[in-house]
Amino acid sequence: MHRGHVAGMYLGGIVVAGLFTLLPGRLLHASLFSELSIWQSAVMAALLAALLISAAVLSIRQGRLFGRRKSSKRLA
């Protein structure tokens, strides 16, 4: 149960907050997409966000992120 809570906090705190740093007008957005037009940078940011979200979804489905794998330990 603790593993699931920590994974959820990680997903919310790191991944979601990291996606917000890619919004136009942010410093990270400017440093990554400074040479591109507004539309090109929006498409690149959307692709990067989709990649991060799909990696998180894949981890959840495989049971790595929220610990759905069976453990050899049993809690009393």
Side-chain angles (χ1 to χ4, degrees):
M1 192 160 101
H2 177 261
R3 180 184 227 176
H5 288 286
V6 171
M9 288 187 330
Y10 175 79
L11 183 65
I14 301 294
V15 175
V16 174
L19 292 175
F20 280 111
T21 63
L22 296 175
L23 292 174
R26 298 292 201 151
L27 188 60
L28 184 62
H29 183 273
S31 66
L32 289 176
F33 308 116
S34 64
E35 298 290 323
L36 303 175
S37 72
I38 293 174
W39 291 107
Q40 288 172 333
S41 63
V43 168
M44 290 299 292
L47 288 174
L48 186 57
L51 180 68
L52 290 173
I53 291 170
S54 62
V57 168
L58 183 63
S59 293
I60 290 170
R61 284 188 178 179
Q62 290 181 349
R64 285 189 229 151
L65 194 58
F66 288 108
R68 290 188 300 183
R69 291 180 291 177
K70 291 183 179 180
S71 175
S72 61
K73 290 183 178 179
R74 291 199 167 239
L75 297 175

